[in-house]
Amino acid sequence: MNQVLLSTDADIVTLVFERLDQRASTAGAAGGLRSGALDAFESAVAEKVQELRELAARSVRDGYEAVRGAVQSFAAGVEDAAAAMGKRAQEFRGRLLDFVRRMIGETFDVMLGALRPVLAIGGVTYRMVSIDMEQKLVFSGSLDISVTSLCKLLGSGELVLKGTYKADGAPA
């Protein structure tokens, strides 16, 4: 078996956030803050999403071990902010957890989209004919566990797949 290491120069965090923003606007999500009591709630959500973006970018840049403490601080900060939301605390946590889950899914999509379906090696073109993949899913209602999973994925920067390639013209 030969191993092919692929690298991308794309800023994965920026790509993921752009896709999430695009999907939100396509789905008709509110683009701006609303008036009245919702302003504080939406501002608090936006603030935590921005903190998450910065945490994710640090994970990519520095690795998970470098942000481990920041992940715990982020989760504690969410709890503090949720406590300030009163009756809307659960909704606040839920919105952030949903965002993290969508971010994990989009991160996988971006990483899988970077796979090369065709490789040229020594003048021979090889086409991917199959992929064997294992996927680890974390089903948790814990924001801390979900953010940890996201940061570990981004911090390792690695998705391991076993692909089968055949040379053009080779029998199937």
Side-chain angles (χ1 to χ4, degrees):
M1 176 175 94
N2 295 320
Q3 185 175 10
V4 177
L5 176 65
L6 299 175
S7 179
T8 178
D9 62 354
D11 175 356
I12 191 167
V13 175
T14 298
L15 283 173
V16 167
F17 270 82
E18 285 174 355
R19 288 182 178 195
L20 290 172
D21 288 345
Q22 184 179 34
R23 287 190 180 168
S25 65
T26 301
L33 297 178
R34 299 179 197 130
S35 62
L38 292 180
D39 283 346
F41 180 83
E42 294 299 330
S43 293
V45 170
E47 180 181 317
K48 290 300 174 191
V49 165
Q50 181 58 35
E51 286 179 33
L52 179 61
R53 181 182 184 142
E54 292 165 9
L55 185 58
R58 274 190 58 208
S59 295
V60 170
R61 185 182 62 245
D62 301 333
Y64 173 72
E65 290 304 317
V67 299
R68 179 187 296 226
V71 169
Q72 293 170 346
S73 294
F74 175 79
V78 167
E79 286 308 310
D80 290 345
M85 294 292 137
K87 294 178 185 177
R88 299 190 72 190
Q90 191 60 33
E91 180 185 356
F92 180 76
R93 285 186 207 96
R95 285 268 303 270
L96 291 172
L97 184 58
D98 181 58
F99 186 83
V100 171
R101 288 176 177 156
R102 286 184 288 129
M103 193 170 172
I104 290 170
E106 198 62 49
T107 299
F108 269 103
D109 289 350
V110 168
M111 292 174 88
L112 290 171
L115 286 174
R116 294 177 55 192
V118 177
L119 299 172
I121 303 171
V124 178
T125 301
Y126 295 85
R127 297 195 185 282
M128 185 183 303
V129 292
S130 69
I131 296 176
D132 291 328
M133 178 170 106
E134 287 185 31
Q135 185 174 8
K136 178 182 175 183
L137 298 174
V138 177
F139 291 103
S140 173
S142 166
L143 186 64
D144 185 25
I145 291 171
S146 297
V147 172
T148 298
S149 297
L150 174 65
C151 289
K152 282 183 176 180
L153 172 64
L154 290 168
S156 72
E158 183 175 79
L159 182 63
V160 179
L161 302 171
K162 180 180 176 185
T164 303
Y165 289 81
K166 295 279 185 194
D168 280 351

